[in-house]
Amino acid sequence: MIAAPELPSDFPFPQDTDTRFSSDTDFSEEPDGRTAVTVSLAAKGKGGKKGKKPAGEKGKGAKGTGRLNGHHQENGMENMMLFEVVKLGRSAMQSVVDDWIESYKTDRDVALLDLINFFIQCSGCKGVVSGEMFRNMQNSEIIRRMTEEFDEDSGDYPLTIAGPQWKRFKTSFCEFIAVLVRQCQYSIIYDEYMMDTVISLLTGLSDSQVRAFRHTSTLAAMKLMTALVNVALNLSINMDNTQRQYESERNKIVAKRANDRLELLLQKRKELQENQDEIENMMNAIFKGVFVHRYRDSIAEIRAICIEEIGVWMKLYSDAFLNDSYLKYVGWTMHDKQGEVRLKCLTALQGLYYNRELNTRLELFTSRFKDRIVSMTLDKEYDVAVQAIKLLTLVLHSTDEVLSPEDCESVYHLVYSAHRPVAIAAGEFLFKKLFSQREPEEEGAPKRRGRQSPNANLIKTTVFFFLESELHEHAAYLVDSLWECGAELLKDWECMTSLLLDDPLPGEEALTDRQETALIEIMLCTVRQAAECHPPVGRGTGKRVMTAKEKKTQLDDRTRITELFAVSLPPLLAKYAMDSEKVTNLLQLPQFFDLEIYTTGRLEKHLESLLRQVREIVEKHTDTDVLEVCSKTYHALCNEEFTIFNRVDIARSQLLDEQVDKFNRLLEDFLQEGEEVDEDDTYQILSTLKRITAFHNAHDLSQWDLFTSNFKLLNTGIENGDMPEQIVIQSLQCTHYVILWNLAKLSEGSSRKEDMVTLRKQMRAFCLMCQRYLTNVNTAVKEQAFTILCDVLLIFSHQMVSGGREHLEPLVYSPEDSLQVELLSFILNHVFIDQDEETNSTDGQQDDEAGKIEALHKRRNLLAAYCKLIIYCVVEMKTGADIFKQYMRYYNDYGDIIKETMSKTRQIDKIQCAKTLILSLQQLFNEMLSELGHGFDRSSSSFCGIKELARRFSLTFGLDQVKTRDAIAMLHKDGIEFAFKEPSPQGEGNPPLHLAFLDILSEFSSKLMRQDKRTVHMYLERFMTFQMALQREDCWLPLISYRNSLQAGGDDDTMSVMSGYSSRGSSVRSKKAKPTAATKESSSSSEVWQQSLQTPVMMPSPHLTSTAMREPKRGRDDSYMESSLLAPQRRGGRAAALASGATAVCLFVFHSRRGTGLMEEDEEPIVEDVMMSSEGRLDDLNEGMDFDTMDIDLPPSKNRRERSELKPDYFDPASIMDESVLGVSMF
């Protein structure tokens, strides 16, 4: 039997799992309106109780000798509480329950007491209900006493503690309740004692304000209810069987009728009915006492438990529970604010809609809550959205009339979702809706193929859907969404090619040109999906390891693709040879071929046909996209591992020989004709040069010496100045490829000195040529020259010798100062311009808008190319000042690029970056003085704009003041020197000309550590006279405010000097924020700091004998700040890694978040304060994020309307920058 629970229970419960008092519910101990349970804990049965033995004698002579307290005496486990037995889970639950039943039969009070303590301990309470409490106290008093036993230090309890043991405990806990009811279902649960006591206890605990009691008892009560539902279902089945037996026996003739049997059946039916009534009373007590109150509990986990279990009841015992009285709770809870609860509602409904026999009972519910289910497909929680789509699929499967076309369309567009599970669920819905109706095939008839295949109409339907969706650039996403449910349809490439090549059947409508283009694009996407076996860009979470079955399927698909398209691709190319878009997609198919099949399948003649078609396309087309894909096709086929290499190589060489010879011949005539060149000759040389350039991108054409001819062409363009712009652009690109291919050969193999010298001369001559073209009158030529020049300078920079390529050091090229000036001038003149100056379109508003976007895209490319030169130290970092000062003015267009550049430069050299930032502010200040004069108003928009820019720069230094200490100090040093650099021409009594710059510099004072503020203040005093400190006129306010910002250390410090970390203030904008608590310093430094704070004005310095201090102020030693402040804080270790700049650092990315669901309008946003994390996490955060991005907001404007129209401050460059801007080598 179970051990006497009066003994102290010292079960090994961790200290951090004690539950604290929870105030997250408004339910009281005895809420009004609760359906009272008629029995209490103190209720006793009418029968006499057996005498209780002392604790030490429990189990002696009782049934089940060899067990103590419900468990074998093994491993030293004796007197174990029921909670410990279930927690350990070492015994089969059947045996644990059987032992408890034996104990209950022996002494039901002791056994019940053990069960009561089991529920109490499962809640995490260390208190024990004694026999005396059980006999003399009401349940509310016992619960109140147990509440007092809780340790409030921790909010954890067994159901919430992490770890595999406690996860198993929850399963064992639920299993124990189910097995207990199942084993007691024939007698004990009807004794009007055990179940009444347990239900009364759980009802009282579920109403407790202690979360642990409420959560545990609700779970127990719901599982108890589920077990009772199973019992009620069995009773219902037995009653039906008994009734049938009774009817069968009564219908017999009197001679064969057994009256005794009729009486037995009547008696049995009566007993079953009584039991059924008792079970129903128990279920009503639990439902009304627990579920009705807890399904709207303040804790989402409790609400989820209730909804999950009511779904089980309706599915198990639909006759009793599947009605509107119970379904309404699920419908109401679909509007819950927590995704976890909404998810349980949908999974519960899925179990009901899956059974078609239950559909008639769900008609009213479906009509009432269908709109809500449809809206949940756009839920902000992806898991909820997926399950909502799956539920609609089940609804669609059960009846096709419930969902309207508008409802279906709201799900259709989700096949293009970036979240793959949502897209796959939507694809399954689409497949069932549009493709489930197939033409039945006659039995015994030969299988139809090609255009006559049953899939033909389905493929057409896919094409129609793709075109109607008007998302023509996302065919790959549509294919990926349908792949799992419709792979067989999508892999019917024979049918697709037949629809494209064969004539339509009589009475069949042929595909239009637009439909053929869409079908070819879809066919290409299906081939790519089958060959690569991974989703398109943006949907994958990384490369997944394929199983052996998936690998075999991939190989089989590639074999099918090659065997089919090796034969059908040449006729397809021949049919659509003049259509650039179709040819571009068709020519990508050979990239997915298994080239070995050309030999093993004896398909050489089809290879010859393919090469002949590709050659004809090259000769006919001048479109860059077509020529590039032709080049890639030759590159894919020219694989030395396969026997077809020689044949393809010969065909490629013949094609290139002809093109190069034609180009040289045309070029010679072109140069000789001079100014008399006609349009036909220009077109011929341009088209030939386009073909050569496109092939040179993927193939090494060094043997044809294209550098000489192209350089001659470029030189002629410089001398004459009338070269067509497209010829110059293509020639620049081709020459660029020549240099890169020569560099690639020198990098891979053993380089000869002659080749090294030749490449060095070619590279320098080409850079000079590009520099000369920067002054060309044509904008497109200048942009091409600038882009290529930036790439060449980056490739041939000092970093090319890294990675074991020291032998390339003679090729390193650093741009001269004149070239750096020209590059910077180009950026300032062609990038930082107003939109109206660039676009002059008169073709309508839509074309004008498209032109503006395209022009902005080009300018962003140019700026990104130059910023890479700054990041990789190709040009001096100080040139970035002209870029950084444009941050505010062109924030919407280039803010992300400039911010990324600042981040990378800070990683390379924090001090030099700080000097660059202050230099940009100084340049803006000088520009303002030249525009407004020295008597400007400090409230003017120009000055306020500079101050705002300084504030933004200050925020980019992040939270870790220790890491930026040197940089901030150097920034203040340069700022102070600039402020006092120009004395007033009116004499010493007037402020210096740049004194107002101190007002701007004060924006960085909050980034100084406390001891550094004192040092900077001392450095400031070296430039001040005694009279300056006494001045109080308005013209001296910048000096006063700057001194105050340096002296107000307690107010401005955002970091503890000792720890180096702090919590974020309420607002960075607030200049009067509450001071944060600082860590105690040493007493000596604290006294000195307090003395400095109490000095109202600067006192005259004593006469010193140091000759260094007697030097004139203008001739001071600039190393003062570095020796006193910067030197002690020098750090190493990261400098080498950051100096290279070649490794891109992944910065903090703001992920796009889906729109708020339709039911979450009133939900409070949950903001996780990262400053509350540990010091280690904060250090990691600052290590990877140099910007305090959480506090950077939009630029200030004069009115709210202008401010609301500004774009958000995106931190991730990829969220704004096109992939072509970033490129492979970007940042």
Side-chain angles (χ1 to χ4, degrees), residues 916-985:
T916 304
L917 292 178
I918 199 66
L919 177 60
S920 65
L921 295 174
Q922 293 170 4
Q923 291 178 358
L924 287 175
F925 187 82
N926 287 329
E927 293 174 4
M928 183 195 64
L929 289 181
S930 62
E931 179 182 353
L932 302 179
H934 296 289
F936 68 91
D937 184 4
R938 286 189 294 113
S939 62
S940 63
S941 59
S942 299
F943 185 78
C944 292
I946 301 175
K947 280 202 67 175
E948 178 65 14
L949 179 61
R951 188 188 72 84
R952 295 291 188 89
F953 286 168
S954 174
L955 293 176
T956 63
F957 283 94
L959 303 174
D960 194 340
Q961 291 178 323
V962 175
K963 291 183 178 180
T964 61
R965 184 181 185 184
D966 299 354
I968 292 293
M970 181 58 67
L971 186 146
H972 280 272
K973 174 179 178 293
D974 290 355
I976 293 173
E977 293 172 359
F978 175 78
F980 290 92
K981 182 178 180 180
E982 297 292 337
S984 175

Side-chain angles (χ1 to χ4, degrees), residues 505-519:
L505 299 173
E508 182 184 5
E509 186 177 355
L511 294 176
T512 64
D513 180 73
R514 185 163 173 257
Q515 291 170 353
E516 288 178 339
T517 303
L519 177 56

Side-chain angles (χ1 to χ4, degrees), residues 600-830:
T600 60
R602 299 184 181 277
L603 302 175
E604 289 86 353
K605 63 177 183 179
H606 298 289
L607 176 63
E608 293 289 347
S609 178
L610 175 61
L611 294 175
R612 185 167 57 253
Q613 291 297 330
V614 175
R615 177 169 179 164
E616 292 178 2
I617 291 172
V618 172
E619 294 173 349
K620 291 178 181 179
H621 286 269
T622 59
D623 185 78
T624 303
D625 294 336
V626 176
L627 295 175
E628 287 183 353
V629 76
C630 289
S631 175
K632 292 179 180 179
T633 301
Y634 274 108
H635 183 267
L637 296 175
C638 285
N639 194 327
E640 298 180 359
E641 298 179 359
F642 302 99
T643 55
I644 65 172
F645 169 74
N646 292 331
R647 186 172 302 184
V648 180
D649 187 46
I650 292 172
R652 179 185 60 177
S653 300
Q654 291 176 351
L655 174 63
L656 293 176
D657 275 336
E658 292 181 5
Q659 295 298 322
V660 173
D661 292 342
K662 181 180 179 180
F663 172 69
N664 290 330
R665 185 176 65 256
L666 291 172
L667 178 62
E668 185 177 354
D669 298 339
F670 183 79
L671 297 179
Q672 289 179 356
E673 293 177 3
E675 299 179 358
E676 300 177 0
V677 180
D678 57 10
E679 293 182 1
D680 184 62
D681 294 338
T682 302
Y683 174 78
Q684 289 293 331
I685 193 170
L686 176 60
S687 59
T688 306
L689 188 55
K690 274 187 173 182
R691 297 184 183 104
I692 294 175
T693 303
F695 272 82
H696 209 349
N697 188 10
H699 305 271
D700 184 9
L701 309 183
S702 303
Q703 56 179 323
W704 284 280
D705 189 20
L706 293 171
F707 181 84
T708 303
S709 56
N710 278 281
F711 194 81
K712 188 185 300 184
L713 180 62
L714 292 172
N715 195 39
T716 303
I718 288 291
E719 294 175 355
N720 298 336
D722 58 350
M723 186 74 66
E725 64 174 81
Q726 287 300 320
I727 293 181
V728 175
I729 291 174
Q730 293 297 326
S731 183
L732 287 170
Q733 190 66 55
C734 186
T735 310
H736 184 208
Y737 289 150
V738 171
I739 292 177
L740 294 183
W741 275 108
N742 291 335
L743 175 61
K745 290 194 298 184
L746 292 178
S747 301
E748 294 173 358
S750 57
S751 57
R752 296 184 305 170
K753 184 176 181 181
E754 295 80 6
D755 297 336
M756 189 85 69
V757 173
T758 301
L759 177 58
R760 189 170 183 270
K761 291 180 178 180
Q762 291 178 348
M763 180 266 298
R764 292 177 179 266
F766 182 61
C767 288
L768 181 60
M769 183 66 68
C770 292
Q771 184 178 357
R772 296 171 68 184
Y773 269 105
L774 287 177
T775 58
N776 193 278
V777 295
N778 189 279
T779 303
V781 173
K782 288 190 290 187
E783 291 176 352
Q784 179 76 350
F786 177 84
T787 303
I788 292 178
L789 185 57
C790 289
D791 289 343
V792 172
L793 292 176
L794 186 63
I795 293 171
F796 288 90
S797 65
H798 58 89
Q799 298 188 35
M800 73 180 304
V801 299
S802 60
R805 296 191 296 266
E806 290 78 7
H807 62 283
L808 299 177
E809 187 173 359
L811 297 176
V812 175
Y813 176 64
S814 299
E816 299 177 355
D817 293 340
S818 60
L819 178 56
Q820 296 188 32
V821 171
E822 285 196 47
L823 292 174
L824 180 59
S825 176
F826 179 88
I827 287 294
L828 297 178
N829 295 331
H830 291 81

Side-chain angles (χ1 to χ4, degrees), residues 250-290:
R250 191 180 64 175
N251 291 335
K252 292 180 181 180
I253 61 176
V254 179
K256 295 184 179 182
R257 184 184 303 167
N259 294 328
D260 295 341
R261 178 172 173 77
L262 286 175
E263 293 180 2
L264 289 175
L265 290 174
L266 283 174
Q267 183 65 25
K268 181 179 180 182
R269 189 178 66 176
K270 182 179 179 181
E271 293 178 359
L272 291 174
Q273 184 63 49
E274 292 176 354
N275 293 342
Q276 182 85 352
D277 293 341
E278 289 194 37
I279 295 296
E280 288 180 1
N281 291 333
M282 297 176 195
M283 292 191 297
N284 285 330
I286 296 176
F287 187 83
K288 296 178 180 180
V290 180

